Amino acid sequence: MPTNTPMTDRVVTVCFAPGADADWFSASEVVNDRLNANGTPARRYHVRHRRLIGWLTRWFGYFLLDAVRRFGAYTLAAGGRKGRLDLAATAERAANEATARWRAYNIHIGATTRHARTWEDFLAQHHADPAKVSLNEARRRFEQQPRVLAMLAYAGAHTFDPYELAAYQAGEATYVGLHWRIALIGDALITTDGRLVEPASDSLADRFRFLNGACVYLRGLRSDARLCAVAIA
């Protein structure tokens, strides 16, 4: 079934309890066991550099997974010890990028095209009567709308995913709020006890319910818990 964001891979955040084996091999095993999928590390977390000792720790990759350097210092990682990851900076960067993207959409698409029906509306038609409205037909009806065509045709600095139309049309705050949460959580979460948590459906409301709960869970983890972001096709 198509998702709301088919232009990107799914990202699953795997959580490990303090003291548990939490290397990349362990994370990939968990994802394969719970989702029957193979993945690759997704470098999405900023690395925290604390005051005073940050000038020293920035040069060492301990407690980090698949970290990358910039000008010699570790700046991004696919995961690691929660205390070494700068989750606030990760969310802030995603919020800034989403703000710029939504404002460009509002200028070039929102102000020049009519309000359009979302992909969820057409997907519901397909589910209600698959014999009458096939999945391909639902997609065709959705994509033939002028606003959706404009999003697909836009060739500026930003790329607009029409399958996020519900979030775009809900306004800047909603769109930005969705994306900073996604930056922290991804599309699914595997808890320290191995539970797979994901949205109940592809609707924007269910995605927010999932992301809000996952953010609360993440906030409640101890600083020595481990996280790993895994991208699966």
Side-chain angles (χ1 to χ4, degrees):
M1 176 188 301
T3 66
N4 285 349
T5 53
M7 293 185 178
T8 61
D9 292 338
R10 292 187 70 203
V11 174
V12 181
T13 298
V14 184
C15 304
F16 294 94
D21 291 335
D23 54 16
W24 165 244
F25 180 75
S26 300
S28 60
E29 273 197 325
V30 171
V31 170
N32 187 268
D33 180 59
R34 299 299 290 121
L35 293 168
N36 193 30
N38 296 318
T40 56
R43 292 172 177 159
R44 58 199 285 120
Y45 298 114
H46 286 258
V47 176
R48 174 177 291 172
H49 301 304
R50 298 182 184 276
R51 291 184 178 180
L52 301 180
I53 64 171
W55 65 272
L56 178 63
T57 59
R58 71 179 60 237
W59 313 112
F60 298 98
Y62 62 87
F63 298 138
L64 295 174
L65 294 176
D66 198 53
V68 63
R69 293 175 183 263
R70 185 180 182 187
F71 303 120
Y74 285 101
T75 55
L76 287 175
R81 191 170 181 171
K82 180 184 171 184
R84 283 222 67 189
L85 304 177
D86 195 336
L87 301 183
T90 302
E92 182 180 10
R93 178 176 180 177
N96 290 338
E97 291 174 349
T99 297
R101 193 163 54 248
W102 186 89
R103 291 179 180 177
Y105 157 84
N106 194 44
I107 292 171
H108 299 288
I109 309 296
T112 60
T113 58
R114 299 192 306 272
H115 191 90
R117 295 173 63 186
T118 67
W119 168 239
E120 291 87 349
D121 291 341
F122 292 93
L123 194 58
Q125 292 180 10
H126 164 66
H127 289 320
D129 193 346
K132 182 178 180 180
V133 182
S134 68
L135 191 58
N136 286 337
E137 175 61 16
R139 186 185 297 277
R140 187 194 67 79
R141 293 181 183 182
F142 169 65
E143 293 183 344
Q144 74 177 0
Q145 298 177 102
R147 174 163 290 188
V148 176
L149 288 172
M151 294 175 76
L152 290 169
Y154 183 73
H158 299 277
T159 298
F160 306 129
D161 185 349
Y163 292 88
E164 289 189 331
L165 184 60
Y168 276 113
Q169 294 187 154
E172 179 179 345
T174 301
Y175 184 80
V176 172
L178 174 68
H179 278 275
W180 72 251
R181 289 168 173 85
I182 290 174
L184 295 178
I185 304 299
D187 303 289
L189 179 84
I190 299 177
T191 63
T192 56
D193 59 357
R195 290 182 297 112
L196 173 64
V197 186
E198 54 188 343
S201 75
D202 286 336
S203 75
L204 185 59
D206 278 338
R207 294 180 76 195
F208 266 114
R209 290 187 187 96
F210 155 71
L211 289 167
N212 288 340
C215 284
V216 170
Y217 178 83
L218 200 65
R219 196 159 49 239
L221 291 176
R222 286 171 36 176
S223 63
D224 55 347
R226 309 291 181 92
L227 310 175
C228 184
V230 181
I232 58 175

